[in-house]
Amino acid sequence: MSEGKKGPGRGGWLAIIVAVVIGLGLVRGNGHDGATSADPSAAAPSAASIPSAPSDPSDPSGGGAPSKPSGRYDPADYAAPVRQYAAEAGVDPQLLMAILYNESYKPHDPELERAWQRSKPDAAFGIANMHRAAFDDTKPGRPFASRQWEELPDDRNLAVQAAAWHLHDLAAQLPAHPSAPLTRNELMALGYNAGAGNMLAFARGVKIGSQAQSYLDRLRDNWAKSGEAVK
């Protein structure tokens, strides 16, 4: 999760899902059935009813893989846009895929994400769990400069593209020869999770805290399958 924001854990997300489903049911029962899908009172579509639509490879916002949210989410399904946008941003596709695996702990349903964000305004959006500040800092001068953070839950390719360029920007801040016994990819992943300031501290040899260490451990656990996914 970028910018060092800590979201709810796996068990916390289960509780959130239950609360959101109940909350949406209560709202629908209070005379708001005519609301549009963007309205907080709109009914969340069932996972099975949301189609998985292939992106047009000629579309700069697509990567030849499903972009729109679908009922099942596997980061490996997005290997094509990961390779495309990693090349565009000049970052390691295996790192980008590992970030998606690290950030796949929560359900990436657009309605659930927006419901959570209404109660926690600094929550992250999209399959790469990017916060508004990180997205807005990353997009100027980039191919997605005209896009908005609010679009991330609905466009998974955009989420991958933004994460790739965010990693590019983190890499540009790293010293040529970090003091820490960590790879550049590991430092960039820590920067994605804990913010650039902490990344630079870790690069100088500052001890990694428990949350950052947990993120790094998951990255290492996900590394091999991430490499297989982007072959």
Side-chain angles (χ1 to χ4, degrees), residues 12-36:
W13 270 108
L14 180 59
I16 291 166
I17 291 170
V18 173
V20 168
V21 170
I22 293 173
L24 289 173
L26 290 174
V27 169
R28 287 199 300 273
N30 287 332
H32 294 288
D33 291 338
T36 65

Side-chain angles (χ1 to χ4, degrees), residues 123-140:
F125 266 178
I127 58 174
N129 284 345
M130 183 170 280
H131 290 272
R132 185 190 298 272
F135 183 83
D136 289 345
D137 287 346
T138 301
K139 73 175 186 176

Side-chain angles (χ1 to χ4, degrees), residues 54-66:
S55 300
D56 181 354
S58 65
D59 183 345
S61 67

Side-chain angles (χ1 to χ4, degrees), residues 197-219:
N198 284 317
M199 176 189 73
L200 294 175
F202 299 148
R204 293 193 302 270
V206 172
K207 184 178 179 180
I208 298 174
S210 59
Q211 291 183 6
Q213 184 63 55
S214 175
Y215 196 86
L216 181 59
D217 291 343
R218 294 203 310 275
L219 184 88

Side-chain angles (χ1 to χ4, degrees), residues 88-89 137-146 161-162 164-166 168-169:
E88 177 185 276
D137 287 346
T138 301
K139 73 175 186 176
R142 301 286 160 65
F144 56 98
S146 64
Q161 187 178 33
W165 281 103
H166 187 37
H168 168 94
D169 291 347

Side-chain angles (χ1 to χ4, degrees), residues 55 61-67 78 81 85 127 155-162:
S55 300
S61 67
S67 179
Y78 293 82
Y85 296 129
I127 58 174
D155 189 340
R156 290 178 172 177
N157 286 349
L158 174 62
V160 174
Q161 187 178 33

Side-chain angles (χ1 to χ4, degrees), residues 100-187:
L100 294 187
Y101 272 111
N102 267 35
E103 302 293 348
S104 65
Y105 64 89
K106 77 176 187 180
H108 289 292
D109 175 85
E111 195 64 26
L112 286 173
E113 287 193 10
R114 290 192 172 93
W116 176 241
Q117 193 267 343
R118 286 194 290 273
S119 64
K120 190 178 190 304
D122 63 347
F125 266 178
I127 58 174
N129 284 345
M130 183 170 280
H131 290 272
R132 185 190 298 272
F135 183 83
D136 289 345
D137 287 346
T138 301
K139 73 175 186 176
R142 301 286 160 65
F144 56 98
S146 64
R147 306 294 297 275
Q148 301 301 315
W149 175 76
E150 288 82 1
E151 299 176 63
L152 290 178
D154 301 300
D155 189 340
R156 290 178 172 177
N157 286 349
L158 174 62
V160 174
Q161 187 178 33
W165 281 103
H166 187 37
L167 289 170
H168 168 94
D169 291 347
L170 289 168
Q173 298 178 58
L174 280 174
H177 303 289
S179 301
L182 298 168
T183 67
R184 291 182 69 84
N185 278 341
E186 288 175 340
L187 286 168

